[in-house]
Amino acid sequence: MKAALVGVDPEPSGKTPPALLYEARRPTGRERGPDAVVETILGFAAELRDIGAARFGTPAEAAGVAVPGIVDETSGTAVYAANLGWRNVPLRALLSERLGGVPVSLGHDVRTGGLAEGRIGAGRDAGRFLFVPLGTGIAGAIGIGGRIEAGAHGSAGEIGHIVVRPGGRACGCGQRGCLETLASAAAVGRDWAAACGDPEASAADAAKAVASGDARARAVWRDAVDALADGLVTGLTLLDPELLIIGGGLAEAGDTLFTPLREAVRRRVTFQRLPSIVPAALGDAAGCLGAGLLAWDLLSTEVTA
Ligand SMILES: [Zn+2]
């Protein structure tokens, strides 16, 4: 888990708030079960509150938290997360109680990262964008006019579960041939490990081997890029975005990814307008900054309400 105290940048840089004033990380404790994870989140937030009070003379006035899985942002409930094991945790209410009644906003991790990319990152000038981080899995955030579309049930943007290879590999979601089974950083790492015979090999190793001209790595990479282009073209056909923002571990390959990806997407579009395809700007701080923006928005709403 990553956490931060967020506030107005104390340097008069003229930059849009928020700035990260203090950052911390800790393990989720998920091996001890879902209740332990919830307790870790609550304790971590309370600790940050105390640190803020000690350092800045006043505790945080609002809190934002972003969690994976399915999130109902309206009721503030963490509905489901396969990797954390929880179901229907009223996280917003629990957190507000632990923090002395301050307003709390609960968001979905990728949508919250997308919110930050849209406001202060790669999408800051784009009215419509699709943010797709390629990590352990693949998710997406649909940015429209300064906000992120959550969907009717809190699961909009799940581009990783678009089937791009019908009947293909089994996916954790129960379907086969989903995009994330082919083009996530985890999938590319697995494929490269199988191809090169080193079980420890990762997607970053695959990218290095591609850059050095290894033919087996190039084949693995081409398959992933083709699958990714198929999924992204489905997304852009539905959404007509100005911008595709690609983040996560696989995007760290830079031009090794972006050059063939732009070409693969360009080859597939016919009537659609080709969006710019750009790397995410905020890296792994996106979620933290986005959670800060969620909290920030609660305060600005309260001021104007
Ligand atoms: Zn799936």
Side-chain angles (χ1 to χ4, degrees), residues 160-163 170-181:
H161 300 286
I162 285 179
V163 174
C171 179
C173 76
Q175 186 52 269
R176 302 190 81 89
C178 293
L179 177 59
E180 81 169 33
T181 67

Side-chain angles (χ1 to χ4, degrees), residues 110-132 140-149 235 239-246 275-276 278:
V110 172
R111 289 199 291 272
T112 303
L115 178 72
E117 286 290 348
R119 293 249 199 111
I120 55 176
R124 63 187 306 169
D125 298 317
R128 283 178 180 263
F129 67 86
L130 183 59
F131 168 56
V132 182
I142 302 165
I144 303 172
R147 59 177 201 89
I148 302 293
E149 174 58 47
L239 300 169
D240 185 23
E242 296 163 61
L243 202 59
L244 293 177
I245 303 170
I246 311 296
S276 300
V278 301

Side-chain angles (χ1 to χ4, degrees), residues 207 221 249-258:
W221 202 256
L250 208 59
E252 283 163 26
D255 288 345
T256 302
L257 176 69
F258 284 89

Side-chain angles (χ1 to χ4, degrees), residues 23-104:
E23 293 173 79
R25 289 171 183 253
R26 73 178 43 166
T28 58
R30 71 179 180 197
E31 66 284 351
R32 288 179 283 120
D35 291 347
V37 176
V38 172
E39 184 46 44
T40 310
I41 293 171
L42 301 180
F44 199 6
E47 223 179 276
L48 241 71
R49 181 177 189 272
D50 293 345
I51 290 168
R55 288 200 179 191
F56 305 104
T58 171
E61 292 172 55
V65 60
V67 298
I70 298 173
V71 179
D72 182 342
E73 285 146 0
T74 311
S75 67
T77 307
V79 178
Y80 172 75
N83 57 343
L84 299 176
W86 61 34
R87 278 189 188 273
N88 299 318
V89 180
L91 202 50
R92 186 175 67 199
L94 291 172
L95 202 56
S96 182
E97 191 187 326
R98 184 68 67 95
L99 297 177
V102 299
V104 174

